Amino acid sequence: TPGRVYLVGAGPGDPELLTRKAERVLREADVILHDRLVSPEILALAGPGPERIYAGKQCGDHHVPQGRTEELLIRYARQGLTVVRLKGGDPFIFGRGGEEQDALRAAGIPCEVVPGVTAALGCAAATGIPLTHRDHSRSVLFLTGHDREGRSPDDWAALTKADRTLVVYMGLGPLAGFCDGLRRHGLPDDWPVAVIAEGTTSKQQVVRGTLRDIADRAARAGLPSPALTLIGRVVDAADDTTLAATAAGTAVLTE
Amino acid sequence: TPGRVYLVGAGPGDPELLTRKAERVLREADVILHDRLVSPEILALAGPGPERIYAGKQCGDHHVPQGRTEELLIRYARQGLTVVRLKGGDPFIFGRGGEEQDALRAAGIPCEVVPGVTAALGCAAATGIPLTHRDHSRSVLFLTGHDREGRSPDDWAALTKADRTLVVYMGLGPLAGFCDGLRRHGLPDDWPVAVIAEGTTSKQQVVRGTLRDIADRAARAGLPSPALTLIGRVVDAADDTTLAATAAGTAVLTE
């Protein structure tokens, strides 16, 4: 009988932000295939038993091709093993979980998905920026800066609605062009933006600015990729003391 | 010296989907103010120490006014207590966390936000519906069916983009009107929709249909509110065996 594959979200970075279920499943695994966004501290939660295998990608440079990862999941499951595919954030938010689920289903391998705190929620909590707020934002749009073919967004009107928060999962390379697009399509130059790298970890860095200057500020700060970009009036709902505190690596808001 | 308030996400329903941090903070609390979406099983994780106080609302009928909840948080913190405000899902996704943070900041009370797995992520995992998928969906929009003043969405073009997944946090009352709006603004009658009630719990119910028939199907199934509605091509990325299995209360996908 085949084993089972768990597609597990490891959360935004802080090992305390894994779910209780993710921790249990890690401890029950025979083998864990993890990506680069999963830290050694998180892998340590699995205890000494499971074998760890790196199956990540690094900033678009695919060290392990996606098809190869799927092959490994299927091969281990067919050996009767309990396999955990551990992914940063949540498996179904820009995490390729859907593609891996497709491959497992086609192979007849039982699969269960364990959700995780996606980076947007973790970074929002860690910076005190509410993604929704009845005074400022009625909706939240999660997107990437470009798609598989490298195309920019094609419906800027949806991205420039004043009462909508944008959460952009992308590296810093496309940030300037993305912000220019928002300005060209109607958002003001001084519209608030925050870029967060290594959010929720002790190495968290937050850079705050506007559509006009955020790309320069982020570049000057030397923020690493990947980063998360939050855009909208809610960014101003976190005051400067909050962001100063969180930039120093603490999630405490008002001290 | 004042105490501290933690705004904590309790996740989508399954007690195993709390984060490790949420569990720790619950155990350290002197007092827990919780809403209706937080089950007894989750409150039990706090152990015998903390006092529990109900401060929820029920389907728009505000049993405890929001201002009263904020007063209680401030009063207990000023007594030097460690206070947990425990909310279903994530505090910053349609959870009023931003307003509570504002009130605490104005009162000078230290506040920390602990993110949670919002219902969208929990329900997606439990039904095998990937919110993003490189073949089907480039972005995800989280919204409510109507705003504080009861208004419907005002930019339907953003909601009817074929490669965008919609996640609608609303009761079943507005569902028919919402789906009609999407059809009037260009989505096909047979566009896939899933409605999930009590997602991730043993009482999970999933109803699947199209923009044309989902409201009738959900009504016939007698789904309770609140429910979560997923709309988009990704709904068809979970096959019928998946949904049949999850409707019976299990999150296993391919058996």
Side-chain angles (χ1 to χ4, degrees):
Chain A
T1 60
R4 167 180 299 280
V5 175
Y6 293 92
L7 303 178
V8 178
D14 178 353
E16 272 208 294
L17 294 179
L18 261 78
T19 66
R20 302 171 70 232
K21 184 170 184 177
E23 183 178 18
R24 172 175 63 81
V25 167
L26 279 178
R27 291 181 181 280
E28 293 173 359
D30 296 308
V31 56
I32 298 169
L33 278 80
H34 63 92
D35 68 23
R36 188 181 69 93
L37 295 175
V38 177
S39 67
E41 292 75 17
I42 288 173
L43 288 171
L45 295 175
E51 183 184 358
R52 278 87 160 156
I53 296 172
Y54 175 77
K57 54 169 186 152
Q58 188 141 10
C59 295
D61 170 24
H62 296 217
H63 286 265
V64 180
Q66 181 68 18
R68 171 76 179 146
T69 299
E70 293 162 8
E71 281 171 24
L72 286 174
L73 294 174
I74 292 166
R75 181 195 303 172
Y76 288 120
R78 286 191 172 147
Q79 292 171 8
L81 301 176
T82 297
V83 185
V84 165
R85 172 70 175 118
L86 188 63
K87 305 161 95 62
D90 177 81
F92 280 166
I93 298 282
F94 306 121
R96 306 254 193 119
E99 287 154 286
E100 291 172 8
Q101 177 179 276
D102 290 346
L104 293 165
R105 182 189 301 139
I109 307 290
C111 166
E112 184 170 347
V113 183
V114 180
V117 173
T118 186
L121 306 182
C123 290
T127 56
I129 297 173
L131 296 178
T132 67
H133 191 300
R134 283 152 64 97
D135 295 337
H136 309 300
S137 172
R138 291 179 59 188
S139 62
V140 192
L141 180 62
F142 291 16
L143 70 165
T144 58
H146 47 74
D147 70 2
R148 173 156 45 176
E149 284 77 36
R151 290 177 305 208
S152 292
D154 55 9
D155 68 332
W156 290 99
L159 278 54
T160 52
K161 196 162 183 299
D163 61 357
R164 176 165 296 149
T165 304
L166 302 185
V167 179
V168 196
Y169 290 70
M170 65 178 168
L172 294 174
L175 179 61
F178 189 84
C179 290
D180 284 348
L182 295 175
R183 292 161 70 192
R184 275 200 314 276
H185 291 85
L187 283 180
D189 288 351
D190 63 352
W191 200 243
V193 185
V195 181
I196 301 127
E198 313 213 52
T200 79
T201 75
S202 59
K203 293 183 281 186
Q204 173 172 299
Q205 292 179 261
V206 181
V207 175
R208 191 176 173 180
T210 65
L211 286 178
R212 184 177 40 223
D213 65 18
I214 190 69
D216 282 346
R217 285 173 181 258
R220 281 204 305 274
L223 285 195
S225 282
L228 190 85
T229 302
L230 302 180
I231 303 174
R233 286 198 300 238
V234 293
V235 171
D236 280 342
D239 66 5
D240 289 330
T241 54
T242 302
L243 288 173
T246 56
T250 160
V252 174
L253 301 178
T254 51
E255 288 188 322
Chain B
T1 59
R4 168 180 299 279
V5 174
Y6 293 92
L7 303 179
V8 177
D14 177 353
E16 272 209 293
L17 294 180
L18 262 77
T19 65
R20 302 171 69 231
K21 184 170 183 177
E23 183 177 20
R24 173 176 63 81
V25 168
L26 279 177
R27 292 181 179 279
E28 292 173 0
D30 295 308
V31 56
I32 298 169
L33 278 81
H34 64 92
D35 68 24
R36 187 182 70 92
L37 295 176
V38 177
S39 68
E41 292 75 19
I42 289 173
L43 289 170
L45 295 174
E51 183 183 359
R52 277 86 158 158
I53 296 172
Y54 175 75
K57 55 169 184 151
Q58 187 141 14
C59 295
D61 170 23
H62 294 217
H63 286 264
V64 179
Q66 182 67 18
R68 172 73 178 149
T69 299
E70 292 162 8
E71 282 171 25
L72 286 174
L73 294 174
I74 292 166
R75 181 196 302 172
Y76 288 120
R78 286 192 171 146
Q79 290 171 8
L81 301 177
T82 297
V83 185
V84 165
R85 173 70 175 117
L86 188 63
K87 306 161 96 61
D90 177 81
F92 280 165
I93 297 282
F94 307 120
R96 305 258 194 117
E99 288 154 283
E100 291 173 8
Q101 176 179 275
D102 290 346
L104 293 164
R105 182 189 300 139
I109 307 290
C111 166
E112 183 170 348
V113 183
V114 179
V117 173
T118 187
L121 306 182
C123 290
T127 56
I129 297 172
L131 295 178
T132 66
H133 191 300
R134 283 153 62 99
D135 296 335
H136 309 300
S137 173
R138 292 179 58 188
S139 62
V140 191
L141 180 62
F142 290 16
L143 71 164
T144 58
H146 46 72
D147 71 1
R148 172 153 50 174
E149 284 78 34
R151 289 177 305 208
S152 292
D154 55 9
D155 69 332
W156 290 100
L159 277 54
T160 53
K161 195 163 185 301
D163 60 357
R164 176 165 296 149
T165 303
L166 302 185
V167 178
V168 197
Y169 289 71
M170 65 179 167
L172 294 175
L175 179 61
F178 189 85
C179 291
D180 285 348
L182 294 175
R183 292 161 68 193
R184 275 200 315 276
H185 291 85
L187 283 180
D189 287 352
D190 62 352
W191 199 243
V193 185
V195 181
I196 301 127
E198 314 214 52
T200 78
T201 75
S202 59
K203 292 183 281 186
Q204 173 173 298
Q205 295 180 70
V206 181
V207 175
R208 191 176 174 181
T210 66
L211 286 178
R212 184 177 39 221
D213 65 19
I214 189 69
D216 281 346
R217 285 173 180 257
R220 280 204 306 274
L223 285 196
S225 283
L228 190 85
T229 302
L230 303 181
I231 303 173
R233 286 197 300 236
V234 292
V235 170
D236 280 342
D239 66 5
D240 289 329
T241 56
T242 302
L243 288 173
T246 56
T250 161
V252 174
L253 302 177
T254 49
E255 290 187 322

